[in-house]
Each structure stands twice: as structure tokens, then as C-alpha cells.
Amino acid sequence: MTDPRDDLGPERVGHATRGLTWEEPLLFERSVRGRAGYSLPDLDVPDADPADAFAGDALRDDLPGLPELSEVDVVRHFTRLSTWNAAVDLGLYPLGSCTMKYNPKVNEALARLPGFASAHPLQPAAEAQGFLELAWRLERALAEVSGMDRVTLQPAAGAQGELAGIMMIRAYHEHRGEHRRVVLVPDSAHGTNPASAALNDYRVVSIPSGEDGILHPEAVAQAMTDEVAALMITNPNTLGLFETHIAELCEIVHARGGLVYGDGANLNALLGIARPGDLGIDVMHFNLHKTFSTPHGGGGPGSGPVGVKNLLAPYLPVPMIHRREGSEGVGFSLDYEFPLSIGRLHANFGNVGMFVRAWAYFRSLGPEGLRRCAEMAVLNANYVLAKLRGTWHVPIDRPVMHECVVSDQALAATGVTTLDVAKRLIDYGYHPPTVYFPLIVHGALMIEPTESEPKEGLDRFIAALSAIVTEAHSEPERVRTAPHRTRHGRLDETRAARRPVLRWQPDPPPS
Amino acid sequence: MTGDPSRFIPHTEEDIREMLAAIGVESIDALFACVPDKLRLNRLLDLPAAASEQEVVRELSALAARNSHAEAQPWFLGGGIYAHYLPAAVHALASRAEFYTAYTPYQPEISQGTLQTIFEWQTMVCALTGLEVSNASLYDGASATAEAVLLAMRATRRERIVVAHGLHPHYGDVLRTYLRALAVDIEWLPRDPDGRSVPVAPAIDDATACVVVQSPSFLGPAQDLRAAAEAAHARGALLIVVVTEPLSLALFQAPGALGADVVCGEAQGFGVPMSLGGPALGFLATRDRFVRQLPGRLVGETVDTRGRRGYVLTLSTREQHIRREKATSNICTNQGLCLLYATIYLSLLGRVGLRKLARLNYAKAEYLKRRVRETPGLSLPLAAPGFNEFVVGVPDSAAAALARAREAGIVGGLDLAPYEPELGPALLVCATELASRASIDELVARLADVDGPVPGAAP
């Protein structure tokens, strides 16, 4: 059987796995008694026996659950494991709403400087002035980008940022003696939005998007009551569409005393173009790992700073960073003087390593470079959409911002679904787009190329998607059983959930 | 960089022309026609102009140089984030871009490296805690503690919380923040004179969801976990044990073996750079029967179409992207890169090395304690034993004692005045394997030396 990939030309990128593929067992299966991967210094103080201070059963006498491996074993293990991952540094990773842009190497080098990586959160502020200044500058930069007044860097991820934002909204209303119970969330929203609202004991009311994929003032006006604490909105939304009525939506909510929360997941599209604060948003989170190039780390750590307008500033988490100018020059300190604060969200300052990377990114790009990100990201998404139109069903065919959504509807007769397409894309060397999201599009494939991908890379990706359509008609079984070229075939997720095996054990658990 | 194309954005002018033509618009600006004019910024952002890579490095290096750090100085400051030696192999492996430029392993066929690592992490956490199931990590020890309490409330359908004395004060703050919107009654127990919490039993009633006990406590002493477990279970409550120095788990009995239902906390001490406290590595483990109450990601074993063993994210019906407002939490990430650091670190140290390292820490701390005990002016106000951290009473003020240590280039510990003022002038001091005998002797001398030169004064 010929592989249509071979028609894609000699320059195709992202071959899946054609070369060496390594086998590698679990660490525990590699373990050999007596091996060591450590090198500890000799004791230069008298030894102390904990049994002198503690009763016998308070102490552990062995740690049989940990492996015994040499450094060579460990290095080979993790190096081999690394070759089983797709990654931005290997090729296009068009995961919609995740903004898998390139993570500059200089950011990594700077985050590893000992003055950042080996500094401690509780050292006196006088001995952490470099960190405090960096954090303060990053705060100001995020405020400028978003049109917000103050920014807290503390939330460790976008979801924790949402939690902080909704907590501040709740505190604001309660301080005014109002006990509002409802949060409005569009049906196209990320699942974190309703979950964050629910954690704050709010009832979630879903707002339907219009047939054109965006929110309409009438829908919000109809749901807006004095019970509503906030509208949560993602702009551009998860269909990649700019919420054209945003200013009017905000006015409707504000007129009844509500606030508007902005989910900043898709901020990349707006850098230097428009600012959420100017559109009427009162509070929003940023995802430094999306918009500001900090790495996704295999699923975290992220970083989710939150910006607020002045009306919410009294409720910000503590500590905030205070800049003072005095006779001795400029200095920075920690400010706990927020009596109405929602309190602390992180044991320390948040994901400082990510602040360093994000600030390096701001400095590398400047205002023109940031706007260029938005422009090229939007150019790439519209280019992909233009090239897919015709072969793929586009459920809402309008100019998009940073991402576009197509569906498997045109493939219905072939029996090939979105999941099959995603798995077959892997054979062509691509990480699949986000699939089956947003929920309002049946069989959605949500494609966010970001500004990092060149035209010829997009052309190859588009060619792969077109080839899969052809295959779906000519060889549907080949698509339905993909991937074929990976180390693993499709994995049985049902089995994993039905009989969960969540750790390795020396003997198989009794069935 | 002025005039140079951006090295992160590959588009040439010709690419742009061709792409615009394919889209059917005249200009880049026309792509933004959907943004109403009155909502446009129409000016450049007010940010510093772009700098070249060498300028960026110079600027940020200058900022880094204004922070004290543990690679340049003897370091006795802990309090939840610990200075340990980081083997070179940890950074070398964790810096592989195949790990750190990947995302959440939604597509298991091309994410087995991340998934197998998480499965190995979950297994190690179970071994260390003595429990049966661990999630794929949480933001930090504080949010892990808050999530553990929410888990206990779901599992017991009760809404009263008892917190033993000695929970890290910042964790207590985060717990209050998380529980703000819920009608929860939290009872905070006082300290026993020996440094441990007073017994928890009298505070537990039939409405109590859980008892939270940090051990070793924020002030250092190991707590009586067996008694706490018995007291909690006698009233149908769960015992949550919080650990902020994970290396202590290699010395002490696994909390699960003593009756803990949940063990959670901070695992930064396992080879994750301190990085001013973040990114950190929250962990949370519990018993099988609570698995469906767990927050956050979980990785499970399965097989593929060819019968080959592999790993996937599993039990996602607990999570926000499926359950939306009915999810167990709103979390949609874990600390993947940090758990990679910790899993590599634990693989290197292993079954024997980790215990040796824990003994090394214990011996250093005991030596420091002995020197304090022998030194006039210094004291050990809390009698209960602990691991590598404890309280030292100083003769004058904590700030002055720390300033004297700083004069000798030593970061001497944490001033406890904001946290435990009734202890009088006191420091929380931590000795890890990094502390040399000479630096310990010097620290003790400086803390006691009230008649020495006044720091900062003219000679």
C-alpha cells in the first residue's frame, strides 16, 4: 500500500517515527539492588541516630518503593522517554486555545540564573530587589497590554486566575452588601469558567451563542438580572471570533450592577490591537504560558496573573509589590495593606520562574514585536481557514482571529470522525488540533497555528488535512485505525477508566 | 534588533503577500476588520522598545545579581522551600525540549514520555506516603492542602475542619481563601509548650470532615500522627497530613501506615529549583476509595490496539472539561515539568540514597542543635524532636541576629516575629546537606555574638 505522505515532497517536516524507536520499561522494572545514582558528601559532623529521639514505629526502615539505578540508567531512561513525545520544538502543535507558540531559548537560560533559580521566597525584600523589580515591571507591562489598572502575578495557572477573579467579584459585591448568586457563561466557554464559578458557590447560567458564533446583546440582556454577579467572556471566543458586541454586552451587565470577567486564553490575537480593559472588561486573567511564550512543560506549570480595574483593586490577593521612590532611590517591598483582600492564593509569589521568562519575552519583542505576534497569528489562522474551505466543513464561516474551527460533517458518509482525523494527522507528523471543542460545534477541530509557523509549514499541514479527506473516501479503514506510524497504536481509554491502574506494583493486583 | 526581522516569527514580506492573496484581503489591517474601530488601540503599546538578545541577557542578569541566592552563600532559610543539592543530570534531562515544549498529554500516542513519567511519579508518591493513589500533582503545597480539605468535605459530606497547630501559616491563609465562599467552620488549635499541636481529639465532633496536621510542623517538631488518626477515625473524620519538606518522608514512617487518609504538601525539596517559591510541586495522595473525589489529572495504565502497555489520562469525568460546574475542581493542568524534576531526582537518589540523604540532613540539624544548646545566649525553646528544621531563641532580636549572620555572608533563617510572636526573639533555622560544619559553627557564633560589631555601623 502506498502512503499518501510520500506525495508530499521531499521537504515535508515532522516525520512521525521512521527511525530508531526505543523500548523502555518503568523505572521500577529497571531497578537492580545495589545500584546507585547519587554521590553524597561524607558527614563532617557527628552522626546522629534518630532512634535516640523517636520511638521505633515513628521511623521508616526502608523505602522499597523507590528504584535503585545508576546515573547512566536514569539518563537513558528519561532520554528515551523524551523521544516518545511530540513537542513544539519538533513541529507544528496547532492545539486550539492553547497557543503553542515557540518558547525562546534565552528565556530558559535566564530563568536558570542562580539569582532567580536558587533564590528563596522568604529572604528579606532587601535581598530580593532584582526579583521584586522584575515582577513589578511585568505587572506594569501586563496592565499596559490589557488596559487594566493593577495586576497580581500570584495565580499559578489560568484556572487559579479565574478562581481569584471570581473571588474578587464576589468580595466586591458582598462589600457592597449585595449577595448575587448567578454567573453567566456563554455556551462556547472553556470548562474552567463554570467550574471556577461553582467553586465560589455561584449558580451558572449558560448563554447561547448566536448562529453567527458570537454573543448577542439580546441574549445577555434576557439573562441579566440583579442576581447576576458577573458575565464571563472569552474574546476572541473559542470559535476564534471577535465578540463584536463586546462593548454593548459590558454595558448591559454594568447597567444592572454586574461585572465582566475576561478569560485571557486568547489574548494573543489582541496584542497591541485592542485592550480588554478598553472594551469594558473589569477583571481578566493572562496565561503567560500561552500569550507570553513560557513553556507548557508537559501540562504545567502555567502562570495565570490577573488584571483588574481600580474598582476591584482593594480585593486583590496579598502580598502585592510596592514601588517607592525616596531619597535613597527606587526600592521595592511587599505590600500587605489590602484589608479587603480575598487573601493569599499561593504559598509564595506564584510561578516566579515563568515571570522571568515572560519578562524576557516582553523585552525581546517590544510593542512592535507583540503586535506582530497578533498580526501573524491572525494571518496564519485565516490562511489555514481559506485553504481548508472547500475540502472541510466550516460551521461558522466568518473571518477569524487567532484560530479557526472546522468539523467532520463533510466526512459523515465515510464513517471517519474527528477523532480519526486527529489520529491520522499524527501519522503525517503533526500534533492534532484541539478536538471536540468548543462543545457547540459537533465534531470540532480547533486549529491555532500561532505566529511561529512559516507559510510552507502551514502548506504542508493543509496538504496533510486534504490528503486525509481523500483517504477518508478511498481508504476509510486506514484513517479509522490510525495512527499507524507511532510507537503505540490507539490506546484503550475505556479500559483505563473501568479498571484504574494508577501506580506500578510488583505483583499484579488481584482481579 | 531595530530593522531586523523577529527571530521568533518566520514570515517574509513575500509570504505575507501570498497569504493575504489566498485569504482575499488587501492588508494585514483588513484581517482585523471584525474589531470595531472605536475599540482599537490605534497606538503602540507603551512598553520599552525591543532589545537584542545580548541586551536582554545583560538586563535580566543585572536583576538576578541583586538577589541573594543559595549557590553563593551558606543557607539556613527553609520554612516550606528548601535548599538542596541538585544533581547535574536532573537539569540536563529536564531541559530536553521534548519534555518542556510539550503540553498536557491529550494525545497519548505521541505523549508517552510525559505520561509514563507521571505514572512513575504517582507510584513514587504512593511509596513515600504509604497510600494507594496519587494524582499527577497540583500547583503547590498550599493549594494541595486546600484541595485535600475540599476532597474530605466531599467524601464525608461534612463542613467542619480542625487544623492542628503547626500548619504553615501561608497554607492556612490559602485555605481560608479557598473556603471563603463556603460555609465552613475552621477550628485552629493552639500549640503545646513542647512545640507540637495540642491533641486533636477534643476538637473533633460528628460534624468534622477532617483534621489537618502538618508534620514536621512549620516550627519543626514531628507530630503524633497515630493519635490524630485514631481520634479522627473515631468520629468518622479523615486525617489529612501535610508535608512541606518531602525529604522527611524518607526518615519518618509513611503517614499512610500511621492512619492518614490523605497526605499532601510540597515536593519542591525533591530536586525542584527554589525559584523564589515557584513553580513549586504540590502533591496529593489518598486511599483507593476516594479516587473519584480526587482533584486534578490522573494517569492510568492501559493497552493499545496492538496489545502493548501504555498510559493515558484517566477518570476525566471528575474534571472541568467534562463536568464543567460539577467538576471536583477547576484545575486543568498539573506541574508536569516540576514533577519531571522530582521523578528524575528520586530515580537518582533511589531507595538507599534518599534515606542516606535524609540521615545526612538529620545529622546536620542535630549538630546545629547541639551547638545552639552549648552556646550561652541561644536556646531551643521547643523540646519536641523534628527533622532538619527547628526554632532557635536568640538573645536580642531576630532581625539583629540575622543581620549579624548576613555580615558573615550567611542567610541565617526566618524571623518568626510575624508568625509566632509569643516565642520571643526567635528564628526558624534549617540545616540541609548543603550546610558545612564550618558554616554551622560560624552561624551559631554570629547569632550569639551580641557584643560583636554592629552590622552596618562604621568601623
Side-chain angles (χ1 to χ4, degrees):
Chain A
M1 190 183 306
T2 59
D3 186 331
R5 273 197 342 159
D6 296 333
D7 302 333
L8 296 179
E11 298 143 342
R12 60 180 188 271
V13 288
H15 304 267
T17 55
R18 278 210 167 163
L20 294 164
T21 57
W22 303 101
E23 294 301 319
E24 182 59 28
L26 290 163
L27 286 165
F28 317 101
E29 295 162 338
R30 255 188 174 272
S31 178
V32 177
R33 285 242 63 175
R35 290 242 171 101
Y38 56 88
S39 147
L40 299 175
D42 287 338
L43 203 53
D44 62 353
V45 298
D47 197 6
D49 186 351
D52 296 342
F54 294 95
D57 77 336
L59 298 171
R60 192 195 279 270
D61 53 20
D62 195 1
L63 244 175
L66 294 193
E68 292 175 81
L69 299 163
S70 72
E71 182 173 318
V72 186
D73 293 331
V74 173
V75 167
R76 289 202 176 138
H77 178 82
F78 288 100
T79 305
R80 288 179 175 199
L81 258 51
S82 77
T83 66
W84 300 345
N85 273 359
V88 170
D89 280 8
L90 288 167
L92 178 62
Y93 207 123
L95 209 50
S97 271
C98 297
T99 316
M100 300 298 290
K101 63 167 71 177
Y102 174 65
N103 311 136
K105 298 300 167 193
V106 67
N107 300 357
E108 300 304 310
L110 291 169
R112 256 203 305 277
L113 291 172
F116 297 126
S118 297
H120 192 284
L122 297 173
Q123 67 197 46
E127 295 176 39
Q129 287 293 301
F131 155 64
L132 292 169
E133 179 168 344
L134 182 145
W136 186 83
R137 287 181 185 278
L138 179 60
E139 271 187 39
R140 297 320 310 154
L142 291 171
E144 168 63 11
V145 161
S146 61
M148 293 288 159
D149 296 312
R150 293 297 307 264
V151 173
T152 170
L153 300 178
Q154 221 181 102
Q160 206 184 29
E162 282 182 27
L163 196 58
I166 299 295
M167 283 173 175
M168 286 189 263
I169 287 170
R170 192 186 160 95
Y172 163 88
H173 289 304
E174 289 193 343
H175 187 65
R176 294 155 55 93
E178 295 186 10
H179 301 284
R180 296 176 177 237
R181 301 261 66 96
V182 175
V183 167
L184 306 180
V185 178
D187 56 6
S188 61
H190 298 115
T192 50
N193 291 180
S196 301
L199 269 172
N200 275 277
D201 209 22
Y202 281 121
R203 190 159 60 81
V204 175
V205 172
S206 179
I207 308 288
S209 311
E211 288 191 353
D212 52 1
I214 60 174
L215 278 187
H216 286 268
E218 311 80 70
V220 172
Q222 201 172 8
M224 188 64 211
T225 68
D226 296 340
E227 278 283 273
V228 172
L231 166 68
M232 298 183 84
I233 192 163
T234 308
N235 191 19
N237 67 23
T238 58
L239 290 162
L241 304 174
F242 187 83
E243 293 284 357
T244 316
H245 307 294
I246 181 72
E248 201 180 339
L249 302 177
C250 294
E251 280 165 24
I252 291 167
V253 174
H254 290 155
R256 301 291 292 268
L259 298 176
V260 182
Y261 184 91
D263 179 328
N266 296 340
L267 184 64
N268 204 44
L270 297 184
L271 293 174
I273 304 288
R275 307 193 307 168
D278 299 339
L279 312 180
I281 304 290
D282 300 295
V283 43
M284 70 173 289
H285 74 263
F286 306 83
N287 297 94
L288 297 187
H289 51 289
K290 297 182 181 177
T291 317
F292 299 103
S293 84
T294 75
H296 283 69
S303 180
V306 173
V308 298
K309 292 280 182 60
N310 276 329
L311 85 169
L312 286 173
Y315 310 98
L316 282 162
V318 285
M320 290 291 288
I321 293 165
H322 178 65
R323 179 181 185 271
R324 55 173 198 282
E325 256 172 280
S327 50
E328 292 159 38
V330 174
F332 298 87
S333 55
L334 295 174
D335 185 356
Y336 288 88
E337 295 306 309
F338 285 71
L340 299 176
S341 167
I342 57 165
R344 188 185 266 283
L345 272 161
H346 191 271
N348 293 295
F349 304 112
N351 288 343
V352 176
M354 302 305 141
F355 308 165
V356 175
R357 291 168 173 90
W359 179 241
Y361 189 66
F362 267 104
R363 294 296 299 113
S364 299
L365 268 70
E368 283 153 323
L370 289 175
R371 194 174 63 195
R372 183 87 169 170
C373 286
E375 290 172 349
M376 295 302 110
V378 171
L379 177 68
N380 276 359
N382 280 286
Y383 181 72
V384 169
L385 181 63
K387 292 284 193 171
L388 292 181
R389 194 180 286 129
T391 44
W392 282 85
H393 175 248
V394 182
I396 296 172
D397 197 356
R398 302 182 56 194
V400 294
M401 301 288 281
H402 64 298
E403 65 194 1
C404 61
V405 175
V406 299
S407 90
D408 60 1
Q409 190 179 303
L411 301 177
T414 68
V416 167
T417 65
T418 286
L419 183 69
D420 303 327
V421 173
K423 299 301 184 194
R424 184 62 177 147
L425 264 175
I426 295 172
D427 283 334
Y428 284 84
Y430 294 102
H431 192 289
T434 298
V435 292
Y436 298 107
F437 192 83
L439 305 174
I440 53 175
V441 173
H442 185 81
L445 283 143
M446 185 198 210
I447 305 167
E448 182 180 12
T450 83
E451 69 278 10
S452 307
E453 198 64 20
K455 175 176 173 295
E456 68 273 17
L458 297 178
D459 285 337
R460 283 190 289 265
F461 174 66
I462 291 158
L465 273 170
S466 302
I468 293 171
V469 172
T470 307
E471 285 181 321
H473 290 95
S474 62
E475 289 184 90
E477 200 50 30
R478 187 154 178 81
V479 183
R480 277 201 296 266
T481 52
H484 304 287
R485 294 183 168 274
T486 46
R487 187 174 171 278
H488 277 86
R490 245 182 250 200
L491 288 133
D492 187 346
E493 301 192 10
T494 310
R495 173 188 164 130
R498 191 174 299 140
R499 273 189 59 238
V501 177
L502 304 172
R503 61 174 164 148
W504 179 82
Q505 287 177 279
D507 302 306
S511 50
Chain B
M1 122 144 200
T2 320
D4 289 343
S6 165
R7 66 193 187 286
F8 308 144
I9 303 178
H11 301 67
T12 64
E13 289 309 312
E14 193 181 337
D15 289 339
I16 294 170
R17 267 195 307 278
E18 287 176 20
M19 294 169 80
L20 289 172
I23 296 165
V25 297
E26 292 291 309
S27 64
I28 294 291
D29 198 51
L31 293 170
F32 292 91
C34 50
V35 182
D37 265 348
K38 63 177 172 86
L39 302 181
R40 301 273 193 100
L41 182 61
N42 291 322
R43 64 167 173 86
L44 274 182
L45 289 166
D46 183 12
L47 294 169
S52 68
E53 180 165 324
Q54 71 177 35
E55 290 164 325
V56 173
V57 169
R58 191 184 308 139
E59 260 183 52
L60 272 81
S61 300
L63 289 171
R66 289 165 58 205
N67 302 326
S68 302
H69 63 83
E71 288 178 41
Q73 295 171 271
W75 202 269
F76 294 92
L77 175 59
I81 295 292
Y82 296 94
H84 289 293
Y85 179 73
L86 188 53
V90 176
H91 255 323
L93 292 168
S95 298
R96 288 188 67 90
E98 298 90 335
F99 285 125
Y100 79 79
T101 73
Y103 196 26
T104 301
Y106 292 120
Q107 298 290 342
E109 298 84 0
I110 46 170
S111 309
Q112 286 297 308
T114 295
L115 286 161
Q116 184 167 326
T117 304
I118 296 174
F119 186 79
E120 290 170 342
W121 166 249
Q122 291 175 179
T123 302
M124 288 180 173
V125 172
C126 290
L128 287 158
T129 56
L131 287 171
E132 293 144 9
V133 50
S134 156
N135 76 3
S137 74
L138 295 163
Y139 306 134
D140 68 345
S143 65
T145 303
E147 292 285 359
V149 167
L150 291 169
L151 181 156
M153 289 167 56
R154 287 192 296 272
T156 61
R157 299 175 184 274
R158 297 178 179 183
E159 295 199 328
R160 190 170 170 276
I161 316 295
V162 173
V163 181
H165 189 271
L167 180 64
H168 192 301
H170 295 177
Y171 289 26
D173 291 345
V174 171
L175 183 60
R176 284 187 197 92
T177 303
Y178 268 69
L179 297 181
R180 236 179 111 93
L182 311 172
V184 179
D185 165 25
I186 310 181
E187 181 169 351
W188 305 86
L189 299 183
R191 177 165 55 79
D192 188 87
D194 74 0
R196 298 184 295 179
S197 178
V198 299
V200 297
I204 304 171
D205 63 19
D206 293 340
T208 304
C210 60
V211 183
V212 180
V213 182
Q214 180 176 324
S215 183
S217 88
F218 177 65
L219 298 176
Q223 310 249 27
D224 190 347
L225 299 182
R226 194 182 288 281
E230 282 165 10
H233 296 160
R235 308 300 290 265
L238 306 187
L239 173 63
I240 295 172
V241 172
V242 179
V243 178
T244 61
E245 168 52 296
L247 187 57
S248 66
L249 290 167
L251 187 76
F252 295 126
Q253 186 57 265
L258 298 171
D261 301 287
V262 181
V263 182
C264 63
E266 178 55 63
Q268 171 275 329
F270 286 152
V272 181
M274 294 199 291
S275 194
L276 290 128
L281 178 55
F283 71 94
L284 196 164
T286 185
R287 301 203 176 274
D288 272 334
R289 66 177 182 276
F290 301 125
V291 65
R292 282 169 206 279
Q293 299 296 341
L294 269 177
R297 300 239 187 272
L298 268 174
V299 169
E301 186 182 300
T302 188
V303 294
D304 74 356
T305 44
R306 305 160 205 167
R308 187 197 275 265
R309 181 175 69 178
Y311 303 91
V312 292
L313 292 174
T314 194
L315 300 179
S316 55
T317 49
R318 302 162 298 115
E319 293 185 70
Q320 50 77 29
H321 60 286
I322 309 284
R323 294 276 282 166
R324 297 177 79 83
E325 66 268 26
K326 295 189 174 62
T328 54
S329 95
N330 77 338
I331 291 172
C332 65
T333 50
N334 57 320
Q335 299 284 95
L337 190 57
C338 300
L339 80 79
L340 175 66
Y341 272 85
T343 308
I344 298 167
Y345 180 87
L346 290 173
S347 308
L348 291 166
L349 272 295
R351 175 176 181 173
V352 177
L354 199 72
R355 285 180 48 73
K356 282 187 180 170
L357 182 65
R359 282 289 299 266
L360 199 51
N361 276 250
Y362 183 78
K364 298 276 187 179
E366 285 300 305
Y367 176 71
L368 174 49
K369 254 187 200 173
R370 198 186 87 197
R371 297 285 292 112
V372 166
R373 202 179 288 120
E374 293 166 356
T375 304
L378 300 183
S379 64
L380 297 170
L382 307 179
F387 177 52
N388 63 2
E389 191 165 27
F390 56 95
V391 176
V392 176
V394 294
D396 43 356
S397 82
L402 286 174
R404 289 194 297 273
R406 198 176 307 131
E407 285 288 297
I410 297 173
V411 173
L414 181 66
D415 181 349
L416 283 171
Y419 302 103
E420 296 276 337
E422 74 286 4
L423 279 170
L427 302 174
L428 186 62
V429 177
C430 171
T432 72
E433 73 281 5
L434 296 177
S436 69
R437 181 180 191 136
S439 69
I440 291 172
D441 291 342
E442 179 74 15
L443 171 71
V444 170
R446 292 292 174 143
L447 295 182
D449 186 19
V450 284
D451 301 322
V454 178

Coordinates of all heavy atoms in Angstrom, one line a residue, chain B residues 370-404:
Chain B
R370 N 22.9 20.9 68.8 CA 23.9 20.7 69.9 C 24.7 22.0 70.1 O 24.9 22.4 71.2 CB 24.8 19.5 69.6 CG 25.5 19.0 70.8 CD 26.5 17.9 70.4 NE 27.8 18.5 70.1 CZ 28.8 17.9 69.4 NH1 28.6 16.7 69.0 NH2 29.9 18.5 69.2
R371 N 25.1 22.6 69.0 CA 25.9 23.8 69.1 C 25.1 25.0 69.8 O 25.6 25.7 70.6 CB 26.5 24.2 67.8 CG 27.4 23.2 67.1 CD 28.8 23.2 67.8 NE 29.5 24.4 67.5 CZ 29.8 25.4 68.4 NH1 29.5 25.2 69.7 NH2 30.5 26.5 68.1
V372 N 23.8 25.0 69.4 CA 23.0 26.0 70.0 C 22.8 25.8 71.5 O 22.9 26.7 72.3 CB 21.6 26.0 69.3 CG1 20.5 26.8 70.1 CG2 21.7 26.6 67.9
R373 N 22.6 24.5 71.8 CA 22.4 24.2 73.2 C 23.6 24.6 74.1 O 23.5 25.0 75.2 CB 22.1 22.7 73.3 CG 21.4 22.2 74.6 CD 21.2 20.7 74.6 NE 20.1 20.3 73.6 CZ 20.3 19.5 72.6 NH1 21.5 18.9 72.4 NH2 19.3 19.1 71.8
E374 N 24.8 24.4 73.5 CA 26.1 24.7 74.2 C 26.4 26.1 74.3 O 27.4 26.5 74.9 CB 27.2 24.0 73.5 CG 27.2 22.4 73.5 CD 28.1 21.8 72.5 OE1 28.8 22.5 71.7 OE2 28.2 20.6 72.5
T375 N 25.7 27.0 73.5 CA 26.1 28.4 73.4 C 25.3 29.3 74.2 O 24.1 29.4 74.1 CB 26.0 28.8 71.9 OG1 26.8 27.9 71.1 CG2 26.5 30.2 71.7
P376 N 26.0 30.0 75.2 CA 25.3 30.9 76.0 C 24.6 32.0 75.2 O 25.1 32.5 74.2 CB 26.4 31.5 76.9 CG 27.5 30.6 76.8 CD 27.4 29.9 75.4
G377 N 23.3 32.3 75.6 CA 22.6 33.3 74.9 C 21.6 32.7 73.9 O 20.6 33.3 73.6
L378 N 21.9 31.5 73.4 CA 21.0 30.9 72.4 C 20.2 29.8 73.2 O 20.6 29.3 74.2 CB 21.7 30.2 71.3 CG 22.6 31.2 70.4 CD1 23.2 30.4 69.3 CD2 21.8 32.4 69.9
S379 N 19.0 29.5 72.6 CA 18.2 28.5 73.3 C 17.4 27.7 72.3 O 17.2 28.1 71.1 CB 17.2 29.2 74.3 OG 16.3 30.0 73.6
L380 N 16.9 26.6 72.8 CA 15.9 25.7 72.0 C 14.6 25.7 72.7 O 14.4 24.9 73.6 CB 16.5 24.3 71.9 CG 17.8 24.2 71.1 CD1 18.4 22.8 71.3 CD2 17.7 24.5 69.7
P381 N 13.7 26.7 72.4 CA 12.5 26.8 73.2 C 11.5 25.6 73.1 O 10.7 25.4 73.9 CB 11.9 28.1 72.7 CG 12.5 28.4 71.3 CD 13.8 27.7 71.3
L382 N 11.6 24.9 72.0 CA 10.7 23.8 71.8 C 11.4 22.4 71.9 O 12.4 22.2 71.2 CB 10.0 23.9 70.4 CG 9.4 25.2 70.1 CD1 8.8 25.2 68.7 CD2 8.3 25.6 71.1
A383 N 10.9 21.6 72.8 CA 11.6 20.4 73.1 C 11.4 19.2 72.2 O 12.2 18.3 72.0 CB 11.2 19.9 74.5
A384 N 10.2 19.2 71.4 CA 9.9 18.0 70.6 C 10.8 17.9 69.4 O 11.2 18.9 68.8 CB 8.4 18.2 70.1
P385 N 11.3 16.7 69.1 CA 12.2 16.5 68.0 C 11.6 16.6 66.7 O 10.4 16.4 66.5 CB 12.7 15.1 68.3 CG 11.6 14.4 69.0 CD 10.9 15.4 69.8
G386 N 12.4 16.9 65.7 CA 11.9 17.0 64.3 C 12.9 16.5 63.3 O 13.6 15.5 63.6
F387 N 13.0 17.1 62.1 CA 13.8 16.6 61.0 C 15.0 17.5 60.8 O 16.0 17.4 61.5 CB 12.9 16.4 59.8 CG 13.7 16.0 58.6 CD1 14.5 14.8 58.7 CD2 13.6 16.6 57.4 CE1 15.3 14.4 57.6 CE2 14.3 16.2 56.3 CZ 15.2 15.1 56.4
N388 N 14.9 18.5 59.9 CA 16.1 19.3 59.6 C 15.9 20.8 59.9 O 16.6 21.6 59.4 CB 16.5 19.1 58.1 CG 15.5 19.6 57.1 OD1 14.4 20.1 57.5 ND2 15.7 19.4 55.8
E389 N 14.8 21.1 60.7 CA 14.5 22.5 60.9 C 13.9 22.6 62.3 O 13.2 21.8 62.8 CB 13.4 22.9 59.9 CG 13.1 24.3 59.8 CD 12.3 24.7 58.5 OE1 11.6 23.8 58.0 OE2 12.5 25.8 58.0
F390 N 14.3 23.7 63.0 CA 13.8 23.9 64.4 C 13.9 25.4 64.7 O 14.5 26.2 64.0 CB 14.6 23.0 65.3 CG 16.1 23.2 65.2 CD1 16.7 24.1 66.1 CD2 16.9 22.6 64.3 CE1 18.1 24.3 66.0 CE2 18.2 22.7 64.2 CZ 18.8 23.6 65.1
V391 N 13.4 25.7 65.9 CA 13.4 27.1 66.4 C 14.6 27.3 67.3 O 14.9 26.5 68.2 CB 12.1 27.4 67.2 CG1 12.1 28.8 67.8 CG2 10.9 27.2 66.3
V392 N 15.2 28.5 67.1 CA 16.4 28.9 67.9 C 16.0 30.2 68.5 O 15.7 31.2 67.8 CB 17.6 29.1 67.0 CG1 18.8 29.6 67.9 CG2 18.0 27.8 66.4
G393 N 16.1 30.3 69.9 CA 15.9 31.5 70.6 C 17.2 32.3 70.6 O 18.3 31.8 70.8
V394 N 17.1 33.6 70.3 CA 18.3 34.5 70.2 C 18.2 35.5 71.3 O 17.2 35.8 71.8 CB 18.4 35.1 68.8 CG1 18.7 34.0 67.7 CG2 17.2 35.9 68.4
P395 N 19.4 36.0 71.7 CA 19.4 36.9 72.9 C 18.8 38.2 72.7 O 18.2 38.8 73.7 CB 20.9 37.0 73.1 CG 21.6 36.7 71.8 CD 20.7 35.7 71.1
D396 N 18.9 38.9 71.6 CA 18.4 40.2 71.5 C 17.2 40.3 70.6 O 16.1 40.2 71.0 CB 19.5 41.2 71.0 CG 20.3 40.6 69.8 OD1 20.1 39.4 69.5 OD2 21.2 41.3 69.3
S397 N 17.4 40.5 69.3 CA 16.2 40.5 68.4 C 16.6 39.6 67.2 O 17.7 39.5 66.8 CB 15.8 41.9 67.9 OG 16.6 42.3 66.8
A398 N 15.5 39.0 66.6 CA 15.8 38.1 65.5 C 16.4 38.9 64.3 O 17.3 38.4 63.6 CB 14.5 37.5 65.0
A399 N 15.9 40.1 64.1 CA 16.4 40.9 63.0 C 17.9 41.2 63.2 O 18.7 41.1 62.3 CB 15.6 42.2 62.9
A400 N 18.3 41.5 64.4 CA 19.7 41.8 64.7 C 20.6 40.6 64.5 O 21.7 40.7 64.0 CB 19.9 42.4 66.1
A401 N 20.0 39.5 65.0 CA 20.8 38.2 64.9 C 21.0 37.9 63.4 O 22.1 37.5 63.0 CB 20.1 37.1 65.6
L402 N 19.9 38.0 62.6 CA 20.1 37.7 61.2 C 21.0 38.7 60.5 O 21.8 38.3 59.6 CB 18.7 37.8 60.5 CG 17.7 36.7 60.8 CD1 16.3 36.9 60.2 CD2 18.3 35.3 60.3
A403 N 21.0 39.9 60.9 CA 21.9 40.9 60.3 C 23.4 40.6 60.6 O 24.2 40.7 59.8 CB 21.6 42.3 60.8
R404 N 23.6 40.1 61.8 CA 25.0 39.6 62.2 C 25.4 38.4 61.3 O 26.6 38.4 60.8 CB 25.1 39.2 63.7 CG 25.0 40.4 64.6 CD 25.4 40.0 66.0 NE 24.6 39.0 66.6 CZ 23.4 39.2 67.3 NH1 23.0 40.5 67.5 NH2 22.7 38.3 67.9

